[in-house]
Amino acid sequence: MNRPYGCPLDRFAYSSLLKLLAKFRVFDEVESLLSELITCEDKFPTLEALDAVIKVYSDSNLVNKAVELYYFVLKTYDLVPHVVTVNSLLHGIVICGKIKDARRLYDELVERSGGVEDKFLDNFSTCIIVTGLSKEGKVEEGRKLIEDK
């Protein structure tokens, strides 16, 4: 975009716009902007902006979109969202009844962090998974997860 005044729009300006659109849940605009930004390396959104979008998707019951964006960012840019975003994503997946998917994501993050849960996960992450397992009647598996921690 060529502007007659001000500074050119860079990845930080676009990231701010993306966070603002996500905050107000303007999902059509988020999708449109995201599709434009992820194809242009110098405009790729910051991790903070991607966190915001993933979290809002999760909190708005758009869990499939959140998971899709999470894995896209992970595979393409080798970035992992902050723990609050991960917890929101895990919670959304559990709420949708996809306990196996949530457990798989949890286990992937434990493995990715070299067995140190504090890097991408926290105690609340474990509680989310244990709650999901308990709802499926897998209390013993949940107990074992806590003990192994």
Side-chain angles (χ1 to χ4, degrees):
M1 175 182 266
N2 195 359
R3 296 171 22 168
Y5 56 89
C7 56
L9 294 178
D10 61 4
R11 69 185 291 243
F12 299 105
Y14 281 113
S15 292
S16 294
L17 176 59
L18 188 60
K19 289 189 307 186
L20 189 64
L21 292 170
K23 178 181 178 179
F24 289 101
R25 290 168 165 68
V26 188
F27 296 120
D28 289 339
E29 294 296 325
V30 167
E31 291 286 320
S32 176
L33 185 58
L34 256 181
S35 65
E36 179 184 330
L37 298 180
I38 61 176
T39 60
C40 188
E41 199 170 304
D42 63 325
K43 293 181 184 176
F44 191 77
T46 62
L47 181 57
E48 182 183 7
L50 295 167
D51 269 1
V53 175
I54 292 168
K55 185 170 184 331
V56 168
Y57 277 163
S58 297
D59 294 345
S60 300
N61 293 323
L62 297 171
V63 177
N64 290 338
K65 285 184 180 277
V67 169
E68 181 182 326
L69 182 57
Y70 166 82
Y71 280 112
F72 171 80
V73 172
L74 183 66
K75 289 176 183 169
T76 307
Y77 298 94
D78 199 32
L79 298 173
V80 175
H82 296 100
V83 68
V84 173
T85 303
V86 169
N87 285 342
S88 180
L89 184 57
L90 288 172
H91 184 258
I93 296 169
V94 167
I95 292 295
C96 288
K98 299 178 179 181
I99 310 306
K100 285 183 181 179
D101 293 343
R103 180 63 194 264
R104 186 178 328 111
L105 176 61
Y106 178 90
D107 291 343
E108 287 171 7
L109 288 169
V110 169
E111 184 178 320
R112 183 176 182 82
S113 65
V116 181
E117 291 182 13
D118 295 342
K119 193 167 183 179
F120 304 119
L121 304 165
D122 60 10
N123 287 334
F124 188 59
S125 312
T126 305
C127 289
I128 292 167
I129 300 301
V130 169
T131 299
L133 291 170
S134 297
K135 286 181 179 181
E136 286 193 336
K138 299 178 180 177
V139 177
E140 192 61 33
E141 188 178 336
R143 185 181 63 75
K144 184 171 176 358
L145 183 64
I146 292 171
E147 288 174 354
D148 291 347
K149 187 173 177 334

